Amino acid sequence: MQDILEFRSDMEESLSWRINEIITLKNLLREDNNVPVVKTLIVMLYAHFEGFFKDCLECYIRYINSTELLLNKFSDSIITASLNREYAAFENMNRKCKELTSVPPTEEFLHKFHRRRELTQKLASDYLNRKIRIDEKIINTKSNLDYSVVQENMYVLGLDYNYFSDKQDTITKLVRLRNSVAHGSQKEPIEFTEFEKIEKDIFEVMEEIIKYLFEFCSEEKYLK
């Protein structure tokens, strides 16, 4: 099992290089007094926020996987996340029951019932006795990490999806500014002072992510 301090160190390392890169670029722009180019910083800050959030959730998944415990030890959300592929197969409407070859294609309920029965059998005999294994691909930032997407990813991984509710305005402001810059609709320049306020707030959110995930794992809240 991965050491809990190593888990935190991995997240802190991701935060450190991202902060250093943003600060370096910010200082270069300030020296040139190039106010219009501050828009570049907004896009960069968002990119690092999204990348960092994804990094931290991947660290969280790797930590949980490193426990190598059986699925039946975990919370319902973690079990569901670990069985993402199996549930996707159940939801695949094109997968038909081979035993029902004489049933007309319109009888979809029978094929759906077959998939339900198959899932029930596997849950009872196999799935819950497997070792934990969550695929990192379950994380989906959708290239637009607004607050609702933050919530979705935390919910899927059994985390408190309302934990950052007090940071919603901060995240929303960054995403809206980034979108207006990236889509070419931000006509007015963004002052350094405005950027620095957003930067400070976002750095606080990023630091809070580390704190929350570290405490969550330290207290083994991912278990039943």
Side-chain angles (χ1 to χ4, degrees):
M1 180 175 176
Q2 183 184 24
D3 183 81
I4 188 71
L5 295 180
E6 182 184 348
F7 163 59
R8 178 162 190 156
S9 178
D10 288 345
M11 293 189 290
E12 289 175 340
E13 182 180 346
S14 177
L15 177 61
S16 179
W17 77 264
R18 293 176 188 282
I19 288 178
N20 289 337
E21 186 168 294
I22 292 171
I23 290 176
T24 298
L25 179 58
K26 183 180 69 173
N27 289 338
L28 287 172
L29 293 175
R30 179 188 284 134
E31 289 172 6
D32 290 341
N33 196 28
N34 196 340
V35 174
V37 186
V38 176
K39 292 179 182 179
T40 303
L41 285 170
I42 290 292
V43 176
M44 181 68 74
L45 180 61
Y46 169 81
H48 279 307
F49 173 62
E50 179 184 311
F52 174 75
F53 181 75
K54 188 170 183 289
D55 276 355
C56 285
L57 292 190
E58 288 176 350
C59 286
Y60 168 68
I61 288 174
R62 287 195 295 271
Y63 180 80
I64 289 180
N65 286 343
S66 76
T67 65
E68 296 192 336
L69 295 173
L70 298 183
L71 269 185
N72 57 33
K73 301 292 184 182
F74 291 89
S75 68
D76 291 342
S77 293
I78 294 296
I79 292 173
T80 305
S82 185
L83 297 177
N84 188 53
R85 181 183 300 178
E86 288 74 15
Y87 281 114
F90 163 71
E91 294 163 358
N92 180 6
M93 299 301 292
N94 295 320
R95 196 165 63 88
K96 306 296 184 182
C97 173
K98 295 180 180 179
E99 300 170 10
L100 302 174
T101 54
S102 62
V103 177
T106 54
E107 295 292 337
E108 293 293 342
F109 173 74
L110 292 178
H111 296 291
K112 183 187 292 185
F113 184 84
H114 164 72
R115 292 194 300 274
R116 289 177 178 176
R117 188 182 69 171
E118 185 178 68
L119 186 60
T120 300
Q121 291 171 337
K122 290 290 187 180
L123 283 171
S125 65
D126 178 24
Y127 291 163
L128 296 184
N129 293 315
R130 292 181 182 179
K131 288 184 179 180
I132 180 69
R133 183 63 194 174
I134 301 176
D135 190 335
E136 293 176 10
K137 292 180 181 179
I138 199 171
I139 302 169
N140 186 2
T141 57
K142 302 182 180 180
S143 298
N144 197 20
L145 189 62
D146 59 25
Y147 180 67
S148 64
V149 178
V150 169
Q151 286 186 301
E152 287 175 19
N153 280 276
M154 294 185 71
Y155 179 81
V156 165
L157 292 173
L159 301 166
D160 179 1
Y161 61 93
N162 286 319
Y163 187 83
F164 294 103
S165 59
D166 61 327
K167 309 295 184 183
Q168 180 175 355
D169 290 345
T170 296
I171 295 170
T172 298
K173 185 173 184 179
L174 174 62
V175 172
R176 286 178 177 172
L177 265 179
R178 173 261 187 180
N179 286 345
S180 64
V181 171
H183 299 155
S185 59
Q186 180 69 29
K187 183 178 180 180
E188 299 298 321
I190 302 170
E191 298 292 336
F192 265 114
T193 52
E194 182 180 0
F195 169 77
E196 287 180 324
K197 175 63 168 64
I198 298 171
E199 174 194 47
K200 176 179 178 295
D201 291 343
I202 289 297
F203 283 173
E204 288 178 358
V205 174
M206 294 164 80
E207 290 170 353
E208 189 66 25
I209 290 172
I210 293 178
K211 178 182 176 182
Y212 171 67
L213 290 178
F214 178 74
E215 291 180 353
F216 190 90
C217 289
S218 295
E219 297 171 12
E220 298 185 329
K221 292 183 178 180
Y222 47 80
L223 299 178
K224 284 190 184 297

